[in-house]
Amino acid sequence: MSIHLIFDLDETLVDSRDRIPYLKTVGGRRFAAENINSISTELYSKFLLDVVTRYHEKESVSILTNSPEGYAAALLRKHGFPSDLPIYGSAEKPCGEKVKKVVKNSRVPVEKTLLIGDSAKDILTAHEIYVPSVGTAWGHESTRYQLERSEPNVIISDPEELEDVLIALERGRITYEGRKDPDNYLYLPEEEYNSPDPDVQHRSLGDYHPKDFSK
């Protein structure tokens, strides 16, 4: 049976730090989707593009992002990803309804599913749906320390390290592992606890535990 890959987008597949100011307003999000070529972004690795393309040919890859779908589609097109990739945008990771839907729609068992992302919220998403996960340490939205505290199966620092993880998953050598310390991790770094930004949500990772999403 084929495996199913769920990729985060921003700071996992593409360095898109310059897009952040545009995503704070409706008009900015529309501008980013319609004018992505005018925003500085960079593909992290051609290897990642090749992996996504290869698994897309098997209908075994999805994009799960908290960014809007229009923006996500434009960014993926800009960097040469297949134009018909399944995109689950505005996903409200780590616990939105689209998080559950992406697994259901794949029709692949959770034990054959892998979530790849750069931030603690991505790894917590994997715990929410009982799937193994890979933390990518080349992004900019999360420190390695935050990734470690969110407890992925493995953290990789080079995109090409992903190949060995995929082989291990296909051979059944990587399986979901529940969090060993679910109550002792705050999602935001301490200096952001009192952020005045209304978009910031102060949530404890301990508030989220895997749920039965088949109901």
Side-chain angles (χ1 to χ4, degrees), residues 14-171:
V14 179
D15 181 348
S16 55
R17 285 169 287 174
D18 288 352
R19 103 286 184 194
I20 294 174
Y22 296 96
L23 300 185
K24 294 185 179 294
T25 66
V26 173
R29 291 191 288 271
R30 185 182 304 114
F31 178 89
E34 295 174 356
N35 300 276
I36 195 65
N37 289 333
S38 67
I39 300 174
S40 177
T41 62
E42 183 176 354
L43 180 69
Y44 274 115
S45 168
K46 185 178 182 300
F47 175 79
L48 293 172
L49 172 60
D50 291 343
V51 168
V52 171
T53 301
R54 186 197 335 158
Y55 279 87
H56 177 59
E57 291 172 353
K58 304 175 186 179
E59 298 183 346
S60 296
V61 65
S62 302
I63 305 298
L64 182 67
T65 175
N66 282 353
S67 295
E69 287 185 12
Y71 156 83
L75 182 61
L76 289 163
R77 267 195 317 272
K78 175 181 178 179
H79 292 286
F81 289 90
S83 60
D84 55 345
L85 273 173
I87 300 172
Y88 296 81
S90 302
E92 299 181 342
K93 291 183 286 185
C95 57
E97 288 302 311
K98 291 184 181 179
V99 168
K100 303 170 185 178
K101 187 180 294 185
V102 67
V103 174
K104 283 186 177 181
N105 289 353
S106 74
R107 299 182 181 178
V108 175
V110 289
E111 60 268 21
K112 287 292 185 179
T113 301
L114 184 71
L115 190 147
I116 304 104
D118 73 291
S119 72
K121 68 177 177 289
D122 295 314
I123 306 308
L124 183 58
T125 298
H127 286 298
E128 178 78 7
I129 53 178
Y130 293 98
V131 303
S133 59
V134 175
T136 61
W138 55 80
H140 301 276
E141 289 189 354
S142 178
T143 66
R144 188 180 185 96
Y145 173 74
Q146 289 172 308
L147 282 174
E148 289 171 351
R149 293 300 297 275
S150 60
E151 301 182 68
N153 284 73
V154 63
I155 296 175
I156 58 177
S157 300
D158 185 298
E160 296 195 12
E161 294 178 56
L162 182 60
E163 189 65 39
D164 288 339
V165 180
L166 300 182
I167 292 171
L169 183 69
E170 288 176 340
R171 294 179 179 176

Side-chain angles (χ1 to χ4, degrees), residues 5-22:
L5 306 183
I6 304 172
F7 276 96
D8 174 52
L9 174 55
D10 296 296
E11 315 318 322
T12 298
L13 294 174
V14 179
D15 181 348
S16 55
R17 285 169 287 174
D18 288 352
R19 103 286 184 194
I20 294 174
Y22 296 96

